[in-house]
Amino acid sequence: METIDIARLKSGEVNLGTSIMAVQFKDGVVVGADSRTTTGSYIANRVTDKLTHVHDRIYCCRSGSAADTQAIADIVHYYLQLHTQTSGAPPSVHTAATMFQKLCYDNKDALSAGIIVAGWDKDVGPSVYNIPLGGGLFRQPWAIGGSGSTYVYGYCDATYKEGWNRDETVEFVKNTLALAMSRDGSSGGVIRMCVITEDKVERLFVPGDQLPKFWQGKEVFGTDNKKDADLAAAVAMAVDA
């Protein structure tokens, strides 16, 4: 049985080289992510769940070091549970995002963590917060992150419209992630999404063989002309001789 020569792989920690996204709509938010986790050039997990529950109506999307982002999410989950017990009310999305931001900023030299926090609360309704590397905090109607995001900023700018309903927002997230996954070698696998509203949290799943298809490109140096192919072969034989 063949074994993997770890020494030949590019060195690096377990990394969520990734495509993550959250989009706000009238009644809630849609969060989504691919499912590929890498260790250097080796795919350590092809079905990772990068959408992490931190409270009943609040989720985060994780990119960067898997260990760092899991630890941060666990700490925030703990403090949000404590907050709920002491205050007698569920926390706001802004409270959760501020906790993430403080942890990321205070430890920015030691962490590799880019996080999107999204959810619904009774004070504001739906909201999306982006916390990129370095620990900034930005509220936006939509946010993307991870290595795959660089390929789809233009698509998001050109496509996003305010006032979308649930189905239009889900379709936008699905198409954006599929485009990012098709271009980014560190993103792939399946698409996982969560639709968070006042009433419920709904999980959605798109298998790898059912991802939206876009232009795939074609070989431009090859030829479909048999005569040209035969001529090229004859020239090659003459050179060899």
Side-chain angles (χ1 to χ4, degrees):
M1 183 174 123
E2 290 187 10
T3 58
I4 297 167
D5 184 4
I6 298 297
R8 289 183 57 197
L9 298 177
K10 188 169 119 185
S11 61
E13 62 183 324
V14 178
N15 192 282
L16 298 176
T18 200
S19 298
I20 57 174
M21 186 173 192
V23 184
Q24 175 183 322
F25 66 99
K26 179 185 175 184
D27 299 318
V29 296
V30 178
V31 297
D34 75 308
S35 65
R36 179 171 292 178
T37 296
T38 56
T39 308
S41 59
Y42 175 64
I43 299 174
N45 189 348
R46 60 180 181 169
V47 287
T48 313
D49 187 359
K50 302 176 186 179
L51 309 178
T52 303
H53 164 275
V54 291
H55 206 268
D56 293 349
R57 294 291 183 272
I58 306 172
Y59 274 67
C60 74
C61 309
R62 301 178 293 110
S63 69
S65 163
D68 291 351
T69 55
Q70 284 172 7
I72 294 167
D74 286 346
I75 293 168
V76 172
H77 179 263
Y78 167 78
Y79 279 112
L80 290 180
Q81 296 296 328
L82 203 62
H83 177 281
T84 303
Q85 294 298 321
T86 55
S87 67
S92 66
V93 181
H94 182 262
T95 298
T98 303
M99 287 185 180
F100 274 106
Q101 185 268 337
K102 180 169 175 54
L103 286 167
C104 290
Y105 181 78
D106 289 349
N107 302 280
K108 61 181 179 292
D109 294 331
L111 296 175
S112 172
I115 293 170
I116 298 172
V117 182
W120 186 97
D121 61 66
K122 62 181 178 58
D123 298 322
V124 178
S127 55
V128 172
Y129 291 87
N130 192 14
I131 305 162
L133 291 172
L137 180 62
F138 309 96
R139 185 180 175 192
Q140 301 166 297
W142 59 268
I144 55 178
S147 55
S149 66
T150 56
Y151 298 94
V152 292
Y153 270 101
Y155 174 78
C156 291
D157 288 336
T159 307
Y160 174 76
K161 291 181 174 60
E162 293 184 357
W164 274 342
N165 60 29
R166 172 198 176 279
D167 293 339
E168 289 170 320
T169 308
V170 167
E171 196 66 18
F172 174 57
V173 171
K174 182 168 66 174
N175 288 339
T176 303
L177 290 174
L179 283 165
M181 291 159 68
S182 70
R183 289 286 183 181
D184 179 33
S186 296
S187 301
V190 304
I191 293 176
R192 300 182 190 276
M193 290 182 284
C194 266
V195 183
I196 307 169
T197 61
E198 178 181 5
D199 299 325
K200 63 180 179 179
V201 175
E202 180 185 1
R203 279 272 192 171
L204 302 175
F205 179 82
V206 183
D209 60 351
Q210 295 178 25
L211 297 176
K213 298 293 184 186
F214 298 92
W215 183 76
Q216 298 291 314
K218 62 181 179 179
E219 176 62 66
V220 295
F221 296 111
T223 177
D224 293 330
N225 190 317
K226 187 175 185 305
K227 188 182 295 184
D228 289 348
D230 291 343
L231 178 61
V235 171
M237 289 175 64
V239 171
D240 292 340

